Amino acid sequence: MDQEEAVTAAVLVIGDEILSGRTKDKNIGFIAEYLTSIGIDLKEVRVVPDEEDEIVAAVNALRVRYTYLFTTGGIGPTHDDITADSIAKAFGVGISEDERAIEEMLTRVSRADLTPARLRMARIPHGADLVRNAVSSAPGFRLDNVIVMAGVPAIMQSMMDYVTPTLRTGKRMLSVSLRADAREGDVAEPFGLLAKAYPDVMMGSYPFNDEHGYNTNLVLRSRDPDRLAAAKAEVEAMLAALPGRAGKIP
Amino acid sequence: MDQEEAVTAAVLVIGDEILSGRTKDKNIGFIAEYLTSIGIDLKEVRVVPDEEDEIVAAVNALRVRYTYLFTTGGIGPTHDDITADSIAKAFGVGISEDERAIEEMLTRVSRADLTPARLRMARIPHGADLVRNAVSSAPGFRLDNVIVMAGVPAIMQSMMDYVTPTLRTGKRMLSVSLRADAREGDVAEPFGLLAKAYPDVMMGSYPFNDEHGYNTNLVLRSRDPDRLAAAKAEVEAMLAALPGRAGKIP
């Protein structure tokens, strides 16, 4: 594992129900936090409908750009579950019912219950490794750098846990959060100067308001603990020199 | 307004804080549901970091493909708020402090408080119309088919309400949701046949589980009330003929 090289990722959420608003996605935030915690930088997210051309185009755009691509959704038993076939098409490989997947499913389903619809869930692109589903047995899979997971949050989370030990991870991103006790518009200039002075420390500014009015959280992020500590000290000195005034204007 | 032609949209969420997992996005689900309710089909969502090249590339990919592009985030006063400049670059137009925007801000901020940082929020690409911010006054804007909104949910929502009357909307999508009282794997085959028989009615299948075990919601969507009613009747008849059995296998 190269501790210095950044490891990147994209997430592709597949599903009409997210785009219609019927289902509120909970996976993006979970995966984002999860990847950050293991030292992988999430760089892009896309949500596309259950349409083969859209899935293939997004998979091929994202898998070449980032170290890993994680997909969620579209691996169930119904006609609109077309993720596995779309992944096979994106890679130009065949796909068929996979004996390993059937075996995993048989730990939870009797052979009599393995209807043609359920057997769709055992369709795995050739060359893929299975990703175990600890919740309901029908597996996801990993093909090259693409990890294909279920859309149901509990199942997706079990798949993330399963696949994580196999991932290359980077040096973990460290972060500190400072409450400015100032309006974003008042802190913006000195904070911007410090951001320029520390190009290797990412600095973000997040307004919020509470019962005292508008206020701002400043977040510093770096892989280098020394640089992070130095930047933090300078930001704290900058804040101490500001008139501390939460107000009604952002 | 052409009631027959589908009106489409994409959403572009801009912000490192979403990709790091620090902030959980609440805007995608809100906008998805909002657009569906006014007859606009959300077809794609992307989340990109606060990096000009990424924003410009995403804006130019999405604005030519869909009727509208809605962006959220990156229009505050700090150095990492680069959405307005990135939009100007994507369109190849100039950008400068806008008198109309300053006037709106002066309804909430004294002229003495209009620091250079706050004036950044008045930077509007040339040719854009303002989108009013009913919460904290610093406006969003609309340039051609791109609507640029704040990332703070309450502000974004006020901007959606402001801009909606100016949007072309399509014939509203109607939907019905049916509880299958069957496992998805058991309903998948007959449901798939009905989906083929009604190519003009979108049919989706969403597994869930409760204290009785796995179960499935079926959702039918169409712009034609008669076709929707016909499809619904056939799906109900199909469900009535199924052995109604919620079980432990999806």
Side-chain angles (χ1 to χ4, degrees), chain A residues 35 208 226 231:
Chain A
L35 293 178
F208 66 96
D226 297 335

Side-chain angles (χ1 to χ4, degrees), chain B residues 143-189:
Chain B
L143 184 57
D144 193 12
N145 65 331
V146 180
I147 295 112
V148 174
M149 306 187 292
V152 176
I155 300 177
M156 182 280 291
Q157 292 169 21
S158 85
M159 289 176 171
M160 279 298 290
D161 287 337
Y162 178 85
V163 83
T164 293
T166 73
L167 301 177
R168 190 161 68 84
T169 53
K171 199 166 172 182
R172 198 175 146 186
M173 183 71 73
L174 307 169
S175 78
V176 294
S177 184
L178 299 167
R179 184 185 155 119
D181 281 328
R183 298 174 296 185
E184 194 179 31
D186 291 320
V187 82
E189 280 174 81

Side-chain angles (χ1 to χ4, degrees), chain B residues 21 124-125 186 200 208:
Chain B
I124 304 288
D186 291 320
D200 53 338
F208 67 96

Side-chain angles (χ1 to χ4, degrees), chain B residues 111-139:
Chain B
R111 203 168 273 278
D113 267 338
L114 273 188
T115 57
R118 249 175 221 121
L119 279 171
R120 269 180 67 81
M121 294 194 282
R123 286 174 67 79
I124 304 288
H126 299 166
D129 294 320
L130 299 192
V131 173
R132 187 159 292 169
N133 167 351
V135 177
S136 61
S137 85

Side-chain angles (χ1 to χ4, degrees), chain A residues 19-159:
Chain A
L19 293 169
S20 74
R22 184 185 173 279
T23 300
K24 300 295 179 288
D25 170 81
K26 290 171 186 158
N27 293 332
I28 296 171
F30 178 90
I31 297 173
E33 207 168 345
Y34 197 112
L35 293 178
T36 297
S37 76
I38 61 174
I40 294 178
D41 290 348
L42 178 59
K43 298 294 283 180
E44 182 169 353
V45 176
R46 296 193 190 180
V47 186
V48 297
D50 299 310
E51 294 172 18
E52 185 178 84
D53 291 351
E54 298 296 323
I55 300 170
V56 169
V59 166
N60 281 334
L62 296 171
R63 73 186 173 96
V64 298
R65 253 201 110 183
Y66 305 105
T67 316
Y68 297 110
L69 168 61
F70 297 85
T71 78
T72 68
I75 62 167
T78 59
H79 63 277
D80 58 345
D81 290 306
I82 59 170
T83 296
D85 285 82
S86 303
I87 299 282
K89 189 163 184 186
F91 277 88
V93 301
I95 180 168
S96 54
E97 285 167 16
D98 185 296
E99 278 307 319
R100 300 165 300 170
I102 291 171
E103 219 165 276
E104 298 228 352
M105 291 170 67
L106 284 172
T107 63
R108 297 287 297 269
V109 193
S110 72
R111 203 168 273 279
D113 266 339
L114 273 189
T115 57
R118 246 172 223 122
L119 278 171
R120 270 180 67 81
M121 294 194 282
R123 286 173 67 79
I124 304 287
H126 299 165
D129 294 320
L130 299 192
V131 173
R132 188 159 293 168
N133 167 353
V135 177
S136 62
S137 86
F141 59 87
R142 173 176 172 176
L143 183 56
D144 193 13
N145 66 332
V146 180
I147 295 111
V148 174
M149 306 187 291
V152 175
I155 301 177
M156 182 280 291
Q157 292 169 21
S158 86
M159 290 176 171

